[in-house]
Every structure is written in C-alpha cells, then in structure tokens.
Amino acid sequence: MAVLAPPSSDIDLWEDASLADPYPLYQQLRDLGPVVHLSAQDAFAIPRYDPLREALADWHSFTSARGVMMNDHVNSAFTGIVLHTDPPEHDVMRKVLAAPLRPDQLRLITPRVRAEADAVVDRLVHRGRFDAATDLAQHLPLTIVSTLVGLGDFGKERMLEWAAATFDAQGPVDRARTRAAFPKLDEMVAYATQEVTAEKVDPAGWVAALYAAADRGALRPGQPEAMVMDYTGPALDTTIFATSSAIWLFAQHPDQWDLVREDPRLIPHAINEVVRLESPIQRFSRVATRDVEVGGHLVPEGARVLMLFASGNRDERHYPDPERFDVRRRPSDHLAFGHGVHACVGMNLARLEIRLLLEALAAKVERFELLGVERAVNSTLRGIAHLDVAVS
Amino acid sequence: MKLTFRRPDGSHGVHDTDPGTSVMEAAVAHGEDGIVAECGGSLMCATCHVYVDPAFSDLLAPPAEDEAEMLTCTAAERRPTSRLSCQLVLTDDLDGLVVEIPEEQV
Ligand code: HEM
Ligand code: FES
C-alpha cells in the first residue's frame, strides 16, 4: 500500500476561541484522517485513538528528548526533566521519581490525606456555597507540594501562578499568550533550580530523596535540581482541573452522582471517566526521529507531532457515544494520563486526592447546584477557573 | 474458552472469552467489578490483583520483573499465587482457568 501525504488543515488549536472550545475542532481533525498536517504550526496532529495509542507506545520513532512543548524557549527551559528524556536515561530517572508515588507508599500517607480531604469537605459543606475550583480543588495539591514534596511554605504562594504560566508558555511562540507567560516560567525555573537547595527542603520529603539518590550515585549531580520540577510543575493544575471538572460534570448529571453515592466503589471509574471527557492536559508533542507511517500516511523525519490526548479520548471509533458522561463506562484505557514509557508517574497520587474528596462529598452532598462557571483559558490545559456551587 | 472468577462473597462468575485477551480485560468486559484495574493495564495500579488457582500455576510463565515489582503494591495480602490479571493473557491451553478475586483492590 502506498504511503500517502497526510491531509492538511488550517484549524488553529491555539486561537482563544479554540482553547475555549476545542472539541468541535478535534472532531473535524478526527474526520480528516489518522494524522493531519496543521498548516498554522507546520506540525502534525494525531487525533484518533488507535494511532495515538500506538504512537505513544513507540518512543523510538517519537522522541521526547527534543521537548514535548510547542516552542524552543520552554523546551530548553525544561531540559533535564524526566518528561524530556528517552530511555535508557528516562528509566533511571523515573525509577527514582516514582518511589514515593507507588501504591504501597501512597497507602502509608492515605490517612493523612483523608483527614485533610474530610476537613476541607466538612468546612465547605457547612458553608453551603463555595468555589469548587479554588476552595475545594486547590487545597490537597498545594498541601502536598508543601508537606510531602517538602518545599514548606517557601514558594507555595506563587506555586499556582507559576503552574498555570508553565502550561500557558507551552504554546506556539507566535502567540501573545505564550510569550506573556515566559517571564513567570523563567522565574519558576530559577526558583526550582537555584533557590530550592538540599538545606532548605524537608529532609523527609520527596525532593530530599532526589538529592539522596544523587549522593548514592543513582542520579548524576545536577539532576535533582531539574527534577524538582517533575514534582511541582505537573502536579497542581492537572489535579485541580480534574477535581473541578468532576464537580462540574456531577452538577450537570445528578443521576450519575446518585449512582456514585449509592455505590462509592464506582468512584475510581468515575475519575477515569472525568479525565477521559475533560482531559486536563489536552496535548503534548514529540519529534519524529525518522520517516514514520501513521495509519498509512507519512510523517517526515524531524516533524513535530502533536499527541492529542483529549481528542483520542473522545474518538467515536473507540468509545461508543463518546460525549456522554457515564460513570459505569470503565474507560480505564483512556489516554488522559498518557500511555507508554511516559505514562503519568503521578497518576496514583492524583487519583488518591480526587477519590478522597469525592468519597467525602458522596457521604454528605446530595446535590450540587451550579451558580456560575468561568473557564480557565490555557495553551495546554483544560479546566475551570471559578466554579460557584451550592450544595444540599 | 472458559474463564472462572471466584468472588470474595463465594459466588462464581463463569464467562466465555477469547484467547488473546487478558484476564483483566475479560473481567472488565463481563462486569466483574472486583477487578478495578484503574490504570488500564499499564502496570501502575495493582488494582487488578487475582489469586490463580494452584491447578493452573504450572501453565503460567512466572511474573516478569515489572509485574513482580508492582505485586508488592497490592491492597490485599500477597500470596505465592498472586498475579496482576492485566498481565495474564489467555491462551488456548488456559481454557477453564480459575482465578480468585481478593477482598480489596484499592
Ligand atoms: C489529573 C492529574 C494529572 C494528569 C491529567 C496528568 C497527565 C499526564 C500526562 C498526559 C503525562 C504524559 C506526558 C507525555 O506522554 O509526554 C504525564 C506525565 C507525568 N506526570 Fe502527570 N498528570 C497528572 C498528575 C500528576 C501528578 C500529581 C504528578 C506528580 C506527583 C505528575 C507528574 C508527572 C510526571 C513527572 C510525568 C512525566 C513522566 C515520564 O516522563 O516518565 N502528574 N502526566
Ligand atoms: S490494571 Fe493496573 S496494574 Fe493491572
């Protein structure tokens, strides 16, 4: 079979209107083909589930070592994070980073996290009306960065601002939104790589364990400085947005909330369904290391290739009735945490935080009433900035 | 081919399955909700834990290194017969396989 040139499209995923409502555009891209050339960025995009999953599993052909973001400034600022490496180096770093995030280790901290989750939920339910995107969703991720990661209060108040900027800075460089985020991105990188030091962090925390790994030779000197960002950068807005999207979906689908209240064992599946439908990280990219065929179409060596997680997760070829929110769907093969060697190393922590919040809410809240929604517009992330809800 | 799940409450789920699917996939497809399988088979969660009936132990290749490592993370007690069902791919010679679902997964 002849290898064809991919179809081309002038859809621009980084216009403000596209960022606010990307799903109809993903649909058009899926209809066009298994891989589509995006003329606006001279890049390629993989919008369908099967080829996307296959590409994510093929790190030889699709490297992360040249950055997974859309401009050189941010890709070079993030040199040295695990996300920007390939095996075998990747596997060594990942093993160190993953140690405190394994299910057995997380089980040890579960009572503490549960106590925090119960306390926030008690407080907010008592209040009756709150902002689920801030009051509810931000507390656990921020507490974890300061306590378990071990950064203390040092930098904590700016962490959220930095996290949003980090993802905003990942767009194409010709966008004002992207460039506007560069100063804050640079500030965050300077903080993580220079101000965070072995002396300042909690000796029992996860960052201290990175320094200890370097001391015993498991990492090279200098590596922990960049790897601090593997614990801070991707841990905040991702989990926060997944949490607020969950409340937003349950508020609109009370029948689904009833199912979860009747059987809280559905919560792990509901979390998968939330991130399938409202994937917090909409896309990252790779660079093709050779001429590679995607679904019968040629992607040339050196091309930047977008992995459209959020589009694959709504592919009607894979998920029947993909736009329906269904907590009994069990879509655990979704791509919202990625797939393959780079699959999210923090997924168990994210799941734990969201599960404990939903369990506490399921015991106390019968209905969420939506009083106002303000979306967060970001180059990479999908989520909600403010979600005004009343509970009963 | 036939696959049987012994559930924590003592009841059995007997299902017709095809070779090439994993025990985890078969469990999900047939609504065996004692197999949670949060991570969809990426060896990240250990919530697809099963005890393999000893009659079938010899037919299974031992766990690979990454499965063995994740087996230390199961919520229920780990036994010599413990496996992660996302790593058990059904083949014709496993017709009739029986696995037990533990009390706890998450
Ligand atoms: C709902 C919350 C989260 C979502 C949706 C999410 C999503 C993702 C995705 C899609 C990837 C794959 C990247 C790729 O293939 O290029 C990834 C990787 C990663 N995530 Fe998460 N993440 C979440 C929470 C977290 C948390 C809490 C942490 C830290 C504790 C974390 C740390 C990481 C790291 C370090 C990687 C890179 C892994 C590697 O390259 O091997 N994430 N995440
Ligand atoms: S499904 Fe997660 S380890 Fe088997």
PDB file of all heavy atoms in Angstrom, chain B residues 55-75:
ATOM      1  N   ALA B  55      -4.045 -25.232  40.545  1.00  0.00           N
ATOM      2  CA  ALA B  55      -4.087 -26.236  39.472  1.00  0.00           C
ATOM      3  C   ALA B  55      -3.533 -25.670  38.162  1.00  0.00           C
ATOM      4  O   ALA B  55      -3.134 -26.429  37.272  1.00  0.00           O
ATOM      5  CB  ALA B  55      -5.509 -26.730  39.275  1.00  0.00           C
ATOM      6  N   PHE B  56      -3.515 -24.348  38.032  1.00  0.00           N
ATOM      7  CA  PHE B  56      -3.075 -23.740  36.764  1.00  0.00           C
ATOM      8  C   PHE B  56      -1.694 -23.104  36.856  1.00  0.00           C
ATOM      9  O   PHE B  56      -1.179 -22.593  35.862  1.00  0.00           O
ATOM     10  CB  PHE B  56      -4.103 -22.695  36.314  1.00  0.00           C
ATOM     11  CG  PHE B  56      -5.428 -23.307  35.976  1.00  0.00           C
ATOM     12  CD1 PHE B  56      -6.375 -23.513  36.966  1.00  0.00           C
ATOM     13  CD2 PHE B  56      -5.699 -23.713  34.683  1.00  0.00           C
ATOM     14  CE1 PHE B  56      -7.592 -24.101  36.667  1.00  0.00           C
ATOM     15  CE2 PHE B  56      -6.916 -24.294  34.369  1.00  0.00           C
ATOM     16  CZ  PHE B  56      -7.863 -24.496  35.360  1.00  0.00           C
ATOM     17  N   SER B  57      -1.101 -23.127  38.049  1.00  0.00           N
ATOM     18  CA  SER B  57       0.172 -22.421  38.254  1.00  0.00           C
ATOM     19  C   SER B  57       1.219 -22.811  37.227  1.00  0.00           C
ATOM     20  O   SER B  57       1.922 -21.958  36.684  1.00  0.00           O
ATOM     21  CB  SER B  57       0.717 -22.708  39.653  1.00  0.00           C
ATOM     22  OG  SER B  57      -0.190 -22.233  40.608  1.00  0.00           O
ATOM     23  N   ASP B  58       1.311 -24.127  36.965  1.00  0.00           N
ATOM     24  CA  ASP B  58       2.383 -24.584  36.082  1.00  0.00           C
ATOM     25  C   ASP B  58       2.206 -24.131  34.643  1.00  0.00           C
ATOM     26  O   ASP B  58       3.151 -24.142  33.859  1.00  0.00           O
ATOM     27  CB  ASP B  58       2.459 -26.116  36.114  1.00  0.00           C
ATOM     28  CG  ASP B  58       2.972 -26.606  37.461  1.00  0.00           C
ATOM     29  OD1 ASP B  58       3.472 -25.748  38.232  1.00  0.00           O
ATOM     30  OD2 ASP B  58       2.863 -27.815  37.738  1.00  0.00           O
ATOM     31  N   LEU B  59       0.991 -23.748  34.285  1.00  0.00           N
ATOM     32  CA  LEU B  59       0.741 -23.341  32.900  1.00  0.00           C
ATOM     33  C   LEU B  59       1.140 -21.889  32.639  1.00  0.00           C
ATOM     34  O   LEU B  59       1.181 -21.443  31.505  1.00  0.00           O
ATOM     35  CB  LEU B  59      -0.747 -23.521  32.566  1.00  0.00           C
ATOM     36  CG  LEU B  59      -1.238 -24.967  32.530  1.00  0.00           C
ATOM     37  CD1 LEU B  59      -2.743 -25.010  32.337  1.00  0.00           C
ATOM     38  CD2 LEU B  59      -0.532 -25.722  31.407  1.00  0.00           C
ATOM     39  N   LEU B  60       1.403 -21.150  33.733  1.00  0.00           N
ATOM     40  CA  LEU B  60       1.684 -19.718  33.568  1.00  0.00           C
ATOM     41  C   LEU B  60       3.178 -19.442  33.671  1.00  0.00           C
ATOM     42  O   LEU B  60       3.853 -19.977  34.552  1.00  0.00           O
ATOM     43  CB  LEU B  60       0.976 -18.913  34.655  1.00  0.00           C
ATOM     44  CG  LEU B  60      -0.545 -19.003  34.685  1.00  0.00           C
ATOM     45  CD1 LEU B  60      -1.085 -18.302  35.923  1.00  0.00           C
ATOM     46  CD2 LEU B  60      -1.130 -18.374  33.423  1.00  0.00           C
ATOM     47  N   ALA B  61       3.669 -18.593  32.787  1.00  0.00           N
ATOM     48  CA  ALA B  61       5.052 -18.136  32.931  1.00  0.00           C
ATOM     49  C   ALA B  61       5.123 -17.291  34.201  1.00  0.00           C
ATOM     50  O   ALA B  61       4.149 -16.607  34.539  1.00  0.00           O
ATOM     51  CB  ALA B  61       5.452 -17.310  31.715  1.00  0.00           C
ATOM     52  N   PRO B  62       6.225 -17.334  34.932  1.00  0.00           N
ATOM     53  CA  PRO B  62       6.309 -16.523  36.153  1.00  0.00           C
ATOM     54  C   PRO B  62       6.243 -15.034  35.808  1.00  0.00           C
ATOM     55  O   PRO B  62       6.498 -14.647  34.676  1.00  0.00           O
ATOM     56  CB  PRO B  62       7.682 -16.891  36.724  1.00  0.00           C
ATOM     57  CG  PRO B  62       8.444 -17.506  35.601  1.00  0.00           C
ATOM     58  CD  PRO B  62       7.439 -18.085  34.661  1.00  0.00           C
ATOM     59  N   PRO B  63       5.864 -14.196  36.793  1.00  0.00           N
ATOM     60  CA  PRO B  63       5.747 -12.764  36.516  1.00  0.00           C
ATOM     61  C   PRO B  63       7.069 -12.168  36.040  1.00  0.00           C
ATOM     62  O   PRO B  63       8.135 -12.536  36.537  1.00  0.00           O
ATOM     63  CB  PRO B  63       5.337 -12.156  37.857  1.00  0.00           C
ATOM     64  CG  PRO B  63       5.343 -13.249  38.861  1.00  0.00           C
ATOM     65  CD  PRO B  63       5.516 -14.544  38.167  1.00  0.00           C
ATOM     66  N   ALA B  64       6.989 -11.278  35.070  1.00  0.00           N
ATOM     67  CA  ALA B  64       8.181 -10.543  34.639  1.00  0.00           C
ATOM     68  C   ALA B  64       8.579  -9.568  35.748  1.00  0.00           C
ATOM     69  O   ALA B  64       7.808  -9.333  36.680  1.00  0.00           O
ATOM     70  CB  ALA B  64       7.883  -9.792  33.347  1.00  0.00           C
ATOM     71  N   GLU B  65       9.759  -8.988  35.616  1.00  0.00           N
ATOM     72  CA  GLU B  65      10.307  -8.160  36.684  1.00  0.00           C
ATOM     73  C   GLU B  65       9.372  -7.003  37.066  1.00  0.00           C
ATOM     74  O   GLU B  65       9.155  -6.730  38.243  1.00  0.00           O
ATOM     75  CB  GLU B  65      11.665  -7.612  36.229  1.00  0.00           C
ATOM     76  CG  GLU B  65      12.482  -7.030  37.353  1.00  0.00           C
ATOM     77  CD  GLU B  65      13.726  -6.328  36.809  1.00  0.00           C
ATOM     78  OE1 GLU B  65      14.344  -6.868  35.865  1.00  0.00           O
ATOM     79  OE2 GLU B  65      14.052  -5.233  37.313  1.00  0.00           O
ATOM     80  N   ASP B  66       8.789  -6.335  36.051  1.00  0.00           N
ATOM     81  CA  ASP B  66       7.949  -5.172  36.385  1.00  0.00           C
ATOM     82  C   ASP B  66       6.635  -5.592  37.040  1.00  0.00           C
ATOM     83  O   ASP B  66       6.128  -4.900  37.921  1.00  0.00           O
ATOM     84  CB  ASP B  66       7.734  -4.246  35.180  1.00  0.00           C
ATOM     85  CG  ASP B  66       7.388  -5.003  33.911  1.00  0.00           C
ATOM     86  OD1 ASP B  66       7.357  -6.255  33.942  1.00  0.00           O
ATOM     87  OD2 ASP B  66       7.141  -4.346  32.883  1.00  0.00           O
ATOM     88  N   GLU B  67       6.113  -6.751  36.646  1.00  0.00           N
ATOM     89  CA  GLU B  67       4.907  -7.243  37.340  1.00  0.00           C
ATOM     90  C   GLU B  67       5.257  -7.626  38.783  1.00  0.00           C
ATOM     91  O   GLU B  67       4.523  -7.293  39.722  1.00  0.00           O
ATOM     92  CB  GLU B  67       4.296  -8.457  36.616  1.00  0.00           C
ATOM     93  CG  GLU B  67       2.999  -8.917  37.301  1.00  0.00           C
ATOM     94  CD  GLU B  67       2.451 -10.254  36.772  1.00  0.00           C
ATOM     95  OE1 GLU B  67       2.843 -10.666  35.658  1.00  0.00           O
ATOM     96  OE2 GLU B  67       1.654 -10.880  37.486  1.00  0.00           O
ATOM     97  N   ALA B  68       6.389  -8.300  38.959  1.00  0.00           N
ATOM     98  CA  ALA B  68       6.800  -8.713  40.301  1.00  0.00           C
ATOM     99  C   ALA B  68       6.937  -7.491  41.208  1.00  0.00           C
ATOM    100  O   ALA B  68       6.536  -7.507  42.377  1.00  0.00           O
ATOM    101  CB  ALA B  68       8.114  -9.483  40.226  1.00  0.00           C
ATOM    102  N   GLU B  69       7.463  -6.408  40.651  1.00  0.00           N
ATOM    103  CA  GLU B  69       7.655  -5.205  41.449  1.00  0.00           C
ATOM    104  C   GLU B  69       6.301  -4.618  41.854  1.00  0.00           C
ATOM    105  O   GLU B  69       6.094  -4.224  43.004  1.00  0.00           O
ATOM    106  CB  GLU B  69       8.441  -4.190  40.613  1.00  0.00           C
ATOM    107  CG  GLU B  69       9.208  -3.230  41.462  1.00  0.00           C
ATOM    108  CD  GLU B  69       9.958  -2.237  40.602  1.00  0.00           C
ATOM    109  OE1 GLU B  69      10.769  -2.678  39.755  1.00  0.00           O
ATOM    110  OE2 GLU B  69       9.711  -1.031  40.766  1.00  0.00           O
ATOM    111  N   MET B  70       5.367  -4.566  40.922  1.00  0.00           N
ATOM    112  CA  MET B  70       4.047  -3.998  41.229  1.00  0.00           C
ATOM    113  C   MET B  70       3.248  -4.923  42.153  1.00  0.00           C
ATOM    114  O   MET B  70       2.388  -4.465  42.896  1.00  0.00           O
ATOM    115  CB  MET B  70       3.324  -3.718  39.910  1.00  0.00           C
ATOM    116  CG  MET B  70       2.174  -2.747  39.948  1.00  0.00           C
ATOM    117  SD  MET B  70       2.296  -1.261  40.997  1.00  0.00           S
ATOM    118  CE  MET B  70       3.547  -0.297  40.194  1.00  0.00           C
ATOM    119  N   LEU B  71       3.564  -6.211  42.143  1.00  0.00           N
ATOM    120  CA  LEU B  71       2.868  -7.146  43.037  1.00  0.00           C
ATOM    121  C   LEU B  71       3.149  -6.844  44.510  1.00  0.00           C
ATOM    122  O   LEU B  71       2.411  -7.290  45.389  1.00  0.00           O
ATOM    123  CB  LEU B  71       3.283  -8.593  42.717  1.00  0.00           C
ATOM    124  CG  LEU B  71       2.461  -9.310  41.644  1.00  0.00           C
ATOM    125  CD1 LEU B  71       3.142 -10.614  41.238  1.00  0.00           C
ATOM    126  CD2 LEU B  71       1.043  -9.582  42.134  1.00  0.00           C
ATOM    127  N   THR B  72       4.180  -6.086  44.796  1.00  0.00           N
ATOM    128  CA  THR B  72       4.440  -5.709  46.188  1.00  0.00           C
ATOM    129  C   THR B  72       3.495  -4.586  46.618  1.00  0.00           C
ATOM    130  O   THR B  72       3.523  -4.158  47.756  1.00  0.00           O
ATOM    131  CB  THR B  72       5.896  -5.235  46.387  1.00  0.00           C
ATOM    132  OG1 THR B  72       6.091  -4.058  45.591  1.00  0.00           O
ATOM    133  CG2 THR B  72       6.893  -6.294  45.964  1.00  0.00           C
ATOM    134  N   CYS B  73       2.665  -4.087  45.696  1.00  0.00           N
ATOM    135  CA  CYS B  73       1.788  -2.942  45.992  1.00  0.00           C
ATOM    136  C   CYS B  73       0.314  -3.315  46.119  1.00  0.00           C
ATOM    137  O   CYS B  73      -0.545  -2.435  46.147  1.00  0.00           O
ATOM    138  CB  CYS B  73       1.918  -1.893  44.898  1.00  0.00           C
ATOM    139  SG  CYS B  73       3.528  -1.104  44.839  1.00  0.00           S
ATOM    140  N   THR B  74      -0.017  -4.600  46.186  1.00  0.00           N
ATOM    141  CA  THR B  74      -1.429  -4.974  46.227  1.00  0.00           C
ATOM    142  C   THR B  74      -2.068  -4.564  47.554  1.00  0.00           C
ATOM    143  O   THR B  74      -1.411  -4.549  48.590  1.00  0.00           O
ATOM    144  CB  THR B  74      -1.588  -6.500  46.070  1.00  0.00           C
ATOM    145  OG1 THR B  74      -0.799  -7.141  47.078  1.00  0.00           O
ATOM    146  CG2 THR B  74      -1.104  -6.956  44.698  1.00  0.00           C
ATOM    147  N   ALA B  75      -3.372  -4.261  47.506  1.00  0.00           N
ATOM    148  CA  ALA B  75      -4.088  -3.857  48.725  1.00  0.00           C
ATOM    149  C   ALA B  75      -4.346  -5.075  49.614  1.00  0.00           C
ATOM    150  O   ALA B  75      -4.209  -4.999  50.830  1.00  0.00           O
ATOM    151  CB  ALA B  75      -5.410  -3.181  48.360  1.00  0.00           C
TER     152      ALA B  75
END
